[in-house]
């Protein structure tokens, strides 16, 4: 029996949730900068570096994680379910058409 068949659905679910959380930790600051740049249409910022410089000088490093809690509460179960769904679908397809 190959190793991938021995992984339980719970482990797949947790792995997907942790992977989504890690991605969120790394990507959330960049997303915060992007959102601020695109939502300030009156020309408050001249570019991405200006957004970063302004945020850090006015509000500190914590400002890069604005809204993190709400996004995290959605990201963990959403990524976990997606990861689990992919694995279940892959096993089902391998069962239906093992030679493909």
């Amino acid at each position: 029996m190959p190793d991938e068949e021995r992984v339980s659905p719970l482990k797949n679910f947790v792995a997907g949730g942790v992977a989504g959380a890690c991605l969120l930790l790394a990507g959330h600051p960049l997303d915060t900068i992007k959102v601020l740049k695109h939502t300030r249409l009156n020309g408050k910022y001249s570019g991405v570096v200006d957004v970063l410089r302004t945020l850090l000088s006015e509000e500190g490093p914590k400002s890069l994680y604005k809204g993190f809690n709400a996004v995290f509460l959605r990201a963990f179960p959403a990524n976990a379910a997606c990861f689990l769904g992919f694995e279940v679908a892959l096993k089902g397809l391998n069962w239906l058409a093992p030679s493909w």
Side-chain angles (χ1 to χ4, degrees):
M1 177 180 262
D3 287 337
E4 60 268 2
E5 290 183 21
R6 290 185 236 172
V7 177
S8 72
L10 179 62
K11 287 182 181 177
N12 274 325
F13 186 81
V14 171
V18 170
C22 290
L23 178 64
L24 180 64
L25 279 170
H28 193 74
L30 296 173
D31 192 49
T32 301
I33 292 168
K34 177 198 64 136
V35 167
L36 284 173
K37 171 72 174 103
H38 288 139
T39 57
R40 302 297 192 261
L41 299 176
N42 61 356
K44 179 176 180 180
Y45 301 114
S46 61
V48 173
V49 175
D50 187 35
V51 175
L52 179 62
R53 191 177 301 133
T54 304
L55 273 178
L56 292 177
S57 67
E58 291 179 1
E59 302 177 42
K62 284 186 176 182
S63 65
L64 295 174
Y65 286 92
K66 289 180 179 180
F68 180 80
N69 292 338
V71 174
F72 181 78
L73 288 174
R74 176 197 54 86
F76 188 94
N79 287 290
C82 183
F83 200 87
L84 178 63
F86 176 82
E87 291 297 323
V88 169
L90 188 61
K91 284 182 184 180
L93 290 171
N94 284 334
W95 178 78
L96 283 173
S99 62
W100 278 11

